[in-house]
Amino acid sequence: MVVNPAPVERGVIRKPAAGRLRVALVYPHHYHVGMSNLGFQTVYRLINNVDHIVCERAFLPEQDGGKIHRVLTVESQTPIEDFDIIAFSISYENDVPAVLTILETAGLPLSAARRGATLPLVLAGGVFCFLNPEPLAPFVDAFLLGEAETLIHPVFEILDRRAEKRERLLALAREVPGVYVPAFYTPRYHGDGTLATVDSAAGVPATVKRVMVPDLSTVPTASTILTPDTTFENTYLIEVSRGCPHGCRFCSAGYVYRPPRFRPLGLLDRQVDEGCALTDRIGLVGAAVSDLPGIRELCSRDRGRDIHFAFSSLRADALDGPLIQALRKSRVKTATIAPDAGSERMRRVINKGVTEDHVLTATETLVAAGIPNLKVYFMIGLPTETDDDVTAIVDLVKRIKHRFLKISRGKGHMGEITVSVSCFVPKPFTPFQWAAMDEVRILKRKIKVIQSGLRKTANVRVHADVPRWAYLQALIARGDRRVAEILLLAHRNQGNWPQTYKASPINPHFYVHREREPEERFPWDFIDQGIDRSYLLKEYRRALDARPSAPCPADPSRCSICGVCKGTAVNSSCRNRG
């Protein structure tokens, strides 16, 4: 039975398989989610750019009466177990359990140690992997830690050699920066359960350096395949930048992608023209799109046809005339503002750099431009958060609604405000990696405060995270290799997590609700992101004191504060961050 989707696609890469290494690139979620991920599409293109490799895509199939069918590739409807390599692209912690489901559906032993030389090699990459791959370590032969542009050629050059599995993996671990082979690393623990050491095999580096592209000016990244079955229907996505200069303390992208890198306007201009030949919908993607030098010129240029621009992220303090005009021309119906916290104090804690005045002014500007609906993002459970801070979310939404109503009345139409509430999860390589996560019952109470406070506010809807899924995200984000046993138990329990937590001999609260000591070794400390741990700890302490820090300077080569750039000089904006 063919169970994979058969969507209308433009841009599919088809290569003869004969004589080539065959790679099944798997996104551990459904087609709609995977094909909305620009990183996944980019890896698909980059692997196929290697002449001696053919790469096909596969996704988690939809369930049929509770049963998940075999995982087949989209291009040829071939079972993934028939390929030489199964490569997972993993972006989010909550997709990790699906990796076990897919491996078992393919008839493979879940344990990497039990998969012999005749079975496919299992690789994994994606941002999840270079944050903390340890909970998935027993199930994966090798992780690729870093950006695909720097890893694909050296990795597949070694994998194409005709050698035994162990020799190939050993060569990868020794010769290719950014490759982590868990079988060559053994964690040891103190009596209290904390990590003591990680022993590495002879000749294998004790730390694995996350690799990155230093200069994006010659590395264009855009949609490979256009399909209507994505979040961005028939939209040509263009990555404008990697990283973010603002240093929000909860956001891993602002730290592991340092220094922030922007593509030059000339390259992006050509990419927009290429996209316009395919569709009238262009999506600009990046953690800080509104910080892109030249974005206003990029969006305002006359291209001989109406172009509808969409933006993955725009800061409330960056909305000005040209950007608003681009949104208006694109007939955008909903714009997003992310204050992330309700009170000014909490925004200093998280180093948001956005004030209430920015938020209210952005509201007026957007509605006045004819954009009828707003989506407003907040986070609960942040370090030092009090009940007053939660109530401040309700108060701020009401003030947003007041400004919203004031402008809407003049237009004769009242749109809708959607309040999105997510639960804070402490992430590796951020200043909050030491923090504990709120208990589920506390998060539920905070959500109820917001829902109750806004229930009678007309034209305002509240959508909130499910705290128990945020708990699972934290468990996987903060776990060590022993969490693999919890994942395996949950897999055997068919995803019944409450039953799994009760039956597990490993206490999941140990990873989720425990504040880490300043000198405690983290499971992810074997990864070298280039950022100084002492800097992150200093930022955590500044957060506890509600002290903000300045953004990354425009010229990162002159900054050495966080350790990534190791600049030869420190300018005044860097000194302010100390």
Side-chain angles (χ1 to χ4, degrees):
M1 177 188 293
V2 175
V3 296
N4 272 343
V8 178
E9 296 184 326
R10 289 181 287 164
V12 177
I13 301 170
R14 300 188 186 277
K15 297 168 68 174
R20 287 186 165 97
L21 191 72
R22 302 174 69 206
V23 178
L25 180 64
V26 184
Y27 197 92
H29 209 298
H30 303 307
Y31 176 93
H32 175 89
V33 178
M35 286 305 294
S36 300
N37 187 291
L38 183 55
F40 176 78
Q41 289 208 33
T42 300
V43 173
Y44 169 71
R45 172 178 55 82
L46 290 171
I47 296 177
N48 273 310
N49 282 348
V50 182
D51 183 66
H52 67 271
I53 303 174
V54 58
C55 176
E56 299 185 8
R57 295 162 294 139
F59 304 89
L60 181 71
E62 302 288 345
Q63 290 194 16
D64 180 10
K67 179 181 178 182
I68 297 181
H69 294 272
R70 295 173 78 184
V71 180
L72 310 178
T73 60
V74 175
E75 284 76 3
S76 66
Q77 294 293 307
T78 302
I80 62 171
E81 60 267 29
D82 291 348
F83 285 74
D84 301 303
I85 294 170
I86 298 173
F88 286 96
S89 176
I90 311 172
S91 297
Y92 305 106
E93 290 86 0
N94 285 23
D95 290 341
V96 165
V99 172
L100 277 66
T101 301
I102 291 169
L103 289 175
E104 183 168 270
T105 303
L108 301 181
L110 296 182
S111 169
R114 293 182 52 231
R115 294 195 293 266
T118 60
L119 294 176
L121 202 66
V122 176
L123 308 180
V127 66
F128 161 79
C129 298
F130 57 87
L131 287 176
N132 178 23
E134 280 302 271
L136 205 51
F139 313 112
V140 172
D141 291 304
F143 291 93
L144 279 57
L145 309 185
E147 296 175 345
E149 293 90 346
T150 60
L151 281 163
I152 285 174
H153 277 275
V155 165
F156 285 103
E157 181 180 333
I158 286 177
L159 289 181
D160 197 40
R161 297 174 185 170
R162 301 191 180 281
E164 291 298 318
K165 175 180 175 180
R166 180 177 172 83
E167 281 68 34
R168 285 189 295 166
L169 289 173
L170 193 58
L172 280 176
R174 286 175 171 172
E175 299 175 24
V176 183
V179 174
Y180 170 53
V181 181
F184 301 138
Y185 296 82
T186 305
R188 315 230 180 251
Y189 303 94
H190 293 296
D192 63 359
T194 58
L195 184 63
T197 62
V198 177
D199 300 333
S200 55
V204 174
T207 59
V208 180
K209 185 174 180 59
R210 183 269 294 138
V211 295
M212 60 181 285
V213 182
D215 181 5
L216 295 178
S217 61
T218 60
V219 186
T221 299
S223 294
T224 301
I225 295 172
L226 290 183
T227 170
D229 190 12
T230 67
T231 302
F232 317 98
E233 179 182 350
N234 285 323
T235 298
Y236 189 78
L237 301 179
I238 300 170
E239 184 190 57
V240 303
S241 64
R242 291 182 189 171
C244 175
H246 296 285
C248 295
R249 290 167 176 144
F250 58 82
C251 179
S252 55
Y255 294 91
V256 299
Y257 285 108
R258 288 191 175 199
R261 293 154 289 156
F262 296 92
R263 286 187 168 86
L265 185 60
L267 172 61
L268 296 175
D269 203 45
R270 291 192 296 274
Q271 288 186 282
V272 172
D273 285 341
E274 290 168 3
C276 289
L278 301 171
T279 179
D280 63 351
R281 301 180 181 188
I282 304 296
L284 303 183
V285 178
V289 173
S290 48
D291 288 294
L292 174 71
I295 185 173
R296 291 149 186 85
E297 295 85 346
L298 184 70
C299 296
S300 61
R301 181 185 153 192
D302 182 7
R303 300 182 190 273
R305 63 181 297 191
D306 285 338
I307 301 300
H308 307 302
F309 281 97
F311 307 93
S312 66
S313 60
L314 291 173
R315 284 175 59 90
D317 57 347
L319 290 174
D320 57 13
L323 285 181
I324 292 295
Q325 181 63 24
L327 292 171
R328 179 189 289 149
K329 279 183 61 178
S330 301
R331 297 193 291 274
V332 169
K333 299 299 181 185
T334 302
T336 297
I337 303 173
D340 288 316
S343 68
E344 296 285 7
R345 186 192 74 82
M346 279 307 306
R347 284 191 289 275
R348 291 196 302 273
V349 168
I350 64 177
N351 203 38
K352 182 65 182 179
V354 169
T355 66
E356 181 173 309
D357 187 58
H358 288 139
V359 173
L360 298 178
T361 300
T363 300
E364 288 188 356
T365 304
L366 290 166
V367 179
I371 298 167
N373 305 303
L374 293 180
K375 181 175 281 188
V376 190
Y377 281 99
F378 292 98
M379 196 174 293
I380 57 168
L382 289 158
T384 79
E385 184 180 68
T386 66
D387 288 347
D388 287 342
D389 294 314
V390 178
T391 304
I393 294 174
V394 175
D395 295 339
L396 179 55
V397 171
K398 289 181 177 179
R399 285 192 286 275
I400 291 172
K401 165 68 184 301
H402 177 74
R403 297 285 184 100
F404 190 82
L405 185 61
K406 176 183 172 183
I407 304 298
S408 297
R409 278 177 178 155
K411 294 186 157 295
H413 175 73
M414 179 66 185
E416 192 169 67
I417 300 173
T418 301
V419 178
S420 179
V421 182
S422 63
C423 301
F424 164 70
V425 173
K427 290 295 184 77
F429 298 109
T430 69
F432 289 157
Q433 64 182 346
W434 284 273
M437 181 178 167
D438 264 0
E439 294 181 20
V440 168
R441 62 178 179 82
I442 295 175
L443 293 169
K444 287 181 176 179
R445 178 180 61 79
K446 291 178 178 179
I447 290 171
K448 190 173 181 179
V449 167
I450 297 169
Q451 290 173 331
S452 299
L454 295 172
R455 184 168 291 125
K456 295 181 181 179
T457 307
N459 297 86
V460 173
R461 294 187 304 159
V462 178
H463 289 166
D465 257 1
V466 178
R468 63 189 174 92
W469 292 121
Y471 179 96
L472 174 60
Q473 183 185 351
L475 173 64
I476 296 172
R478 294 162 65 78
D480 54 38
R481 199 173 294 192
R482 294 169 297 185
V483 170
E485 298 177 40
I486 302 179
L487 292 175
L488 188 57
L489 183 58
H491 177 72
R492 290 169 179 161
N493 288 336
Q494 298 182 319
N496 187 328
W497 286 97
Q499 179 182 334
T500 297
Y501 296 144
K502 290 179 183 177
S504 173
I506 298 166
N507 180 10
H509 291 350
F510 176 79
Y511 302 101
V512 178
H513 296 319
R514 182 175 59 84
E515 183 170 8
R516 310 295 168 95
E517 294 296 324
E519 302 307 319
E520 181 177 333
R521 184 177 186 131
F522 294 119
W524 49 88
D525 276 348
F526 71 92
I527 304 173
D528 177 10
Q529 300 280 2
I531 197 162
D532 290 341
R533 178 185 171 115
S534 60
Y535 163 78
L536 294 175
L537 183 58
K538 186 175 183 179
E539 280 294 296
Y540 182 43
R541 288 169 172 159
R542 288 176 70 90
L544 298 180
D545 292 334
R547 296 168 61 201
S549 296
C552 290
D555 180 6
S557 68
R558 295 180 58 81
C559 180
S560 61
I561 288 294
C562 75
V564 171
C565 300
K566 298 179 173 61
T568 56
V570 181
N571 63 21
S572 60
S573 66
C574 289
R575 291 192 195 96
N576 291 338
R577 300 175 75 188

